[in-house]
Amino acid sequence: MSDEPFDRAEFVTYFRDEADELLHRIDADVLRLEGTATSGSPSPEIVNSLFRALHTIKGNAAMLGFADVANLAHGLESLCDLLRTGKMELSALCVELLFTGRDYLTTLVAKAPSDAQPPPGYDAFLVRLGSIAAAELSGAQEPDPASGATAQQTQQSLALSGSGRRPTIRVDIERLDHLLNLVGELVVNRTRISDIASALAAALGDDPAGKTLVESVASLARTSAEIQEALMKVRMVPIGRVFERFPRLVRDIAKARGKEVTLRVDGAQTELDKTIVDQIGEPLMHLLRNCIDHGIEIPPVRESLGKARAGTIALCAYHAGNQVVVEMSDDGAGIDTERVLAQAIENGIVGRDERLSDEEIVQLIFRPGFSTADVVSDLSGRGVGMDVVHKAVGKLKGHFSVSSERGRGTRFEMKLPLTLAIIGALLVRVGKELYAIPLDSVVESQRIEIADVRTIQSCEVVTLRDTIVPLVRLAEFFDVPSPRDPEKAMVVIVSIASRQIGLIVDAFEGEQEIVIKPLSDVVGTVAGISGATILGSGAIALILDVHALAADAYRSGKIARVELAAVQT
Amino acid sequence: MTRRVLIVDDAVVMRMMIKGILAKSGFDVVGEAQNGVEAVEKYVELQPDLVTMDVVMPEMDGIAAVKEILAHDPSARIVMCTSMGQQALVVEAIQAGARSFITKPFQPPKIVETLNKVLA
């Protein structure tokens, strides 16, 4: 087909995007069908939706010459046709066929357009599908006079379902990324030009040109802020896109483990930057698998505990300030702190005589090295690659926490930023270096008297409003030469989970929006630093990762363990 | 004279492909619709010379849309785009007043030829 006046390759990406969406819809539809399988007659609305999705995949695939995809979609579509014309009963077999077929479709779509062999079992499945459909048909050879009526009903329900969608356009994400980068530069320059304009205006004194300059620069700044905001919105997609595949996943894993699990999803329409949505799927899937594997008990155990046979996993997303919170909680067994601690001691993560609160023990599951393969299999709590999830969330500048109650269940919480590219930050100076502290973790900044600083376990703390706040001298943490002020200190209080710590700096340099540039691989990862930014002045500021910084400080004993200290004093 | 075409199909990819083929063959694609309801609205608004109409679509299917468009404009020229295995629907569409049909997957020259014939 080399004489085609259109370029096939050009459409393959679009084909895959659309097919992915449709495959999710197929999943959801088959799941809903399975729910009604016992009643025998499926809802025409669901079957029609399923039929259309398969039909569209078939048509698109055929146009692009993906014969395997088209053939399979055609076979499944025929099955749906039998269902919707009432020539075939909805049975467990039928649901199984649809699920299996859908899996083959997914594999094939991902492979297209490679001419590789279809996945093993594909041909046999196709034959089976065809023969089942044929067997059903031969049982009802007569052209069914009722099918006309069914079609009529079908059309009615079609007309009723759904509402008009607004026209949309698909854009390659790379173009948006490029645009975002450009806007990033704009934001940087906006601050710089504002500074210059103010300086010039001051130098010009009473000359009206100065005032005009400042005004027009301000207007420019407003417009660029609006562009930035609008672009952010363009990149926002509902997190539900990720959730869509979970009902099926939960069903499959639960079935394989002989467990009964109900998944409740809430807040699927909550919007996040596409990059984050794309990268949050894997970690969430990991968590789900863990909840089912290790959290939810098998039905007899649950019944003996007086719980419902089926465990419940609740997945919900919501906005909280300029963050999005994704929660996953289950009503399973909870984390067995004694066994986690025992395992942690055995693995040498925790010293034998260390005293840890239950809450601290639970956090151990995030430690790399905790989750070795054989820990996991016989540990009735969790552990499978939790450090992987922790790391993935950290990479997205998010925060991941867990709380658990024995016998009642476990709750994981991810706090994610709305966007990755531009954040508000407090700039501080330490020696000659500039650091940017993300505003979302800053509680307050203030001046304290050195006289108020006490020492616990040879670490400095200060009492603020009846709370003991451990202090970290950034100059010492980063090994930056800076003379100590004997009388006073500038402190930025940041919150980490439920704790607060104070970072001692030399000076506050104001708030600013910054564009995050990741540190290059050459530099490698530096504890407590998540990236860098270029300021309006052209200077470079390192962006603090307060969670990593606090964790590192706790580990190395540079910071007081206030919880323990409070108990001991 | 450029021939103004409205493309109706619920599949984005299919619309893009048809659009690509037609644009390269001297047609002017003036609009796209993704279901029957939109098709009728767009037809009334744009008054195209020709409509390519998918059959299986949400909200209102292609055959119902053909009927509505013809009720509005009896001279409307509509070509059905159907997939394999929908002969019965094609007959219904032609009876309802569609001028011709093409079966997916179609070869680009075939659709151009069919459309030219209908417009002649």
Side-chain angles (χ1 to χ4, degrees), chain A residues 190-201:
Chain A
R190 171 183 77 194
T191 321
R192 193 171 179 178
I193 288 176
S194 296
D195 290 350
I196 297 171
S198 309
L200 271 179

Side-chain angles (χ1 to χ4, degrees), chain A residues 132-147:
Chain A
I132 287 170
E136 288 289 339
L137 264 188
S138 65
Q141 268 172 344
E142 300 267 337
D144 189 355
S147 70

Side-chain angles (χ1 to χ4, degrees), chain A residues 396-412:
Chain A
L396 294 172
K397 309 263 178 299
H399 181 60
F400 185 39
S401 62
V402 57
S403 58
S404 178
E405 200 178 333
R406 279 295 287 285
R408 302 289 288 275
T410 306
R411 185 171 159 278
F412 291 99

Side-chain angles (χ1 to χ4, degrees), chain A residues 405-420:
Chain A
E405 200 178 333
R406 279 295 287 285
R408 302 289 288 275
T410 306
R411 185 171 159 278
F412 291 99
E413 185 186 86
M414 292 180 184
K415 279 192 178 146
L416 300 163
L418 284 178
T419 175
L420 289 178

